[in-house]
Amino acid sequence: MSKKKKILLFSILIMMILFLTACNNQSELKKVEDNAFLMDTLVKVRAHGNGAEKAVKESIDQIEAIENLMSKTVTKSDVYKLNHNPKKEIIIAPETMVVLKKAKKYANLTAGDFDPTLGALVNLWGIGTKNPTVPQPSAIEKALKNTGYQYLDLNEESAKLTQAKVKIDLGGIVKGYAADSVRKIMKKNEVKHAFVNLGGNVLVIGDKVDGSAWKIGIQDPRKGRGSVMAIVAAKDMTIVTSGNYERYFEENGKLYHHIIDPKTGYPAQNNLLSVSIISSSSFDADALSTSIYVMGLKKGMKFIETIDEVEAMFITKELDVYLSSGLKELVEIKNKDFNLIEGEYFAN
């Protein structure tokens, strides 16, 4: 055998050894997972790597801390203090202020289709509680007079509700903030592969241990959790879904879901079953999934197409699926009941 051939074979052998070693190292990465019931939902955090155990514990603790700061029912929270001390300046924790400012930003950006001051309406309907009810029109009109993001006054370190009976409810954005906080914890602990699920708000960090993309299922809105109608290939990405199947009740044969239209005071009435937002920021995606659902297909699609690096998937009651322009290579429809609609339908 010539000297050149020996060198070539030796080089190939070394490369194979390095490749196999790398595969073994990846497959042997420590996996840590924990679950907790926080923010009125089941939270799952999974991480791989040497820093996984610390990262997962810190993540669960951080989500609980965020809940204690921003829950409307925790008596020591910033939101509770705001809601129960109208027209008074309340000192706010920096983390809460970040969420309040982002919430007000999206309220302005969506012309009120997202509104963090829907507490009076949310309480009135009681959807997700033991005793939901269809309120009288007069009660809804009264509650509408006690909503409006213009009544939320934010300063550097304090906030104030300028009208009595206005109530803050951050349920449409706080889980997104929590997910992005977990991302920071994972990065700090040098975790490169992680999966986070906050009741349907899904965040994946990096790729899977084997180097492939995460496969995130989009729930079939006609069925319960675990029923998948499409798969999204994801890496360093978040997927947040809002739909009429998440929390609802039925009365006299009519379904009433929890996504309240701030302009009418009733559950948003459009032809949508669900909207999924795909983005790098869970914080933004959370607010967008709610507001885009309220907007409906045509207005919502136009809005999404104006935002860089944010995509959306709409499912209508006819089981038609509409994808924003950047999603077409990432989504695979798995259920033949659903019909992918293609074309520039959002341009007009």
Side-chain angles (χ1 to χ4, degrees):
M1 184 181 294
S2 68
K3 185 176 181 181
K4 286 185 178 179
K5 285 185 177 180
K6 287 181 179 179
I7 293 173
L8 179 60
L9 287 172
F10 181 73
S11 299
I12 291 172
L13 181 61
I14 292 296
M15 289 175 66
M16 288 179 66
I17 291 171
L18 289 172
F19 175 76
L20 290 171
T21 301
C23 289
N24 287 335
N25 287 341
Q26 291 287 350
S27 63
E28 292 172 4
L29 279 177
K30 185 176 183 179
K31 172 185 170 182
V32 179
E33 183 173 333
D34 198 5
N35 303 326
F37 191 82
L38 298 167
M39 296 184 174
D40 292 324
T41 193
L42 180 62
V43 173
K44 297 182 179 182
V45 182
R46 183 198 313 161
H48 301 261
N50 293 331
E53 187 169 357
K54 183 180 178 184
V56 168
K57 184 182 184 308
E58 285 185 17
S59 296
I60 296 294
D61 289 346
Q62 176 67 3
I63 296 168
E64 184 175 10
I66 292 169
E67 179 178 31
N68 288 334
L69 275 177
M70 304 181 209
S71 169
K72 64 181 181 180
T73 59
V74 175
T75 56
K76 293 183 179 181
S77 78
D78 290 338
V79 169
Y80 188 94
K81 291 173 186 175
L82 268 172
N83 286 344
H84 290 80
N85 293 281
K87 300 184 179 182
K88 291 183 180 179
E89 204 83 16
I90 303 297
I91 300 300
I92 297 296
E95 296 92 337
T96 309
M97 185 61 72
V98 168
V99 177
L100 289 173
K101 286 184 175 179
K102 179 78 83 169
K104 194 159 185 181
K105 170 190 170 182
Y106 272 104
N108 281 299
L109 195 62
T110 63
D113 286 322
F114 178 86
D115 194 328
T117 67
L118 293 184
L121 283 163
V122 171
N123 294 341
L124 183 65
W125 282 89
I127 300 173
T129 69
K130 292 181 180 179
N131 299 300
T133 185
V134 179
Q136 293 295 318
S138 58
I140 290 175
E141 285 299 318
K142 185 177 179 180
L144 277 170
K145 293 177 181 178
N146 293 317
T147 65
Y149 60 94
Q150 69 271 19
Y151 300 123
L152 175 59
D153 186 15
L154 301 177
N155 299 305
E156 286 301 314
E157 297 179 348
S158 63
K160 179 171 67 173
L161 289 171
T162 60
Q163 178 170 298
K165 297 184 180 179
V166 174
K167 305 291 184 185
I168 300 293
D169 188 322
L170 297 177
I173 194 170
V174 70
K175 283 187 279 188
Y177 174 75
D180 280 356
S181 298
V182 170
R183 185 203 307 273
K184 292 177 183 177
I185 290 170
M186 294 295 171
K187 184 176 180 180
K188 182 187 72 173
N189 287 282
E190 299 183 350
V191 171
K192 296 180 180 179
H193 313 277
F195 173 90
V196 183
N197 189 344
L198 289 91
N201 288 39
V202 175
L203 169 70
V204 294
I205 296 164
D207 50 16
K208 293 174 70 176
V209 172
D210 63 6
S212 64
W214 296 91
K215 302 293 185 181
I216 308 302
I218 302 293
Q219 183 176 333
D220 185 334
R222 304 168 300 172
K223 302 177 181 179
R225 292 196 184 278
S227 300
V228 172
M229 55 73 56
I231 296 289
V232 179
K235 178 181 178 181
D236 283 322
M237 196 177 290
T238 189
I239 301 174
V240 180
T241 299
S242 290
N244 67 0
Y245 58 88
E246 294 173 306
R247 294 195 300 278
Y248 65 90
F249 71 101
E250 293 185 39
E251 188 171 300
N252 297 325
K254 186 173 181 178
L255 184 147
Y256 297 91
H257 60 80
H258 76 292
I259 306 174
I260 304 296
D261 185 335
K263 295 179 173 67
T264 67
Y266 287 83
Q269 297 296 312
N270 52 47
N271 198 39
L272 294 176
L273 293 179
S274 69
V275 174
S276 296
I277 302 296
I278 295 91
S279 173
S280 60
S281 167
S282 194
F283 199 2
D284 293 293
D286 204 3
L288 283 169
S289 69
T290 303
S291 52
I292 296 299
Y293 186 95
V294 170
M295 289 180 189
L297 174 60
K298 188 172 182 179
K299 182 181 176 183
M301 186 66 84
K302 283 185 177 181
F303 187 84
I304 283 296
E305 291 293 340
T306 67
I307 306 176
D308 293 335
E309 298 181 4
V310 176
E311 305 295 340
M313 174 179 177
F314 299 75
I315 302 176
T316 70
K317 291 178 181 177
E318 293 77 26
L319 305 186
D320 290 334
V321 178
Y322 294 81
L323 304 177
S324 59
S325 55
L327 262 191
K328 293 175 177 150
E329 302 301 321
L330 297 177
V331 174
E332 179 185 0
I333 306 295
K334 304 295 288 185
N335 189 316
K336 293 181 180 179
D337 290 347
F338 294 84
N339 179 38
L340 179 61
I341 305 296
E342 299 190 53
E344 298 297 317
Y345 43 81
F346 50 83
N348 298 318

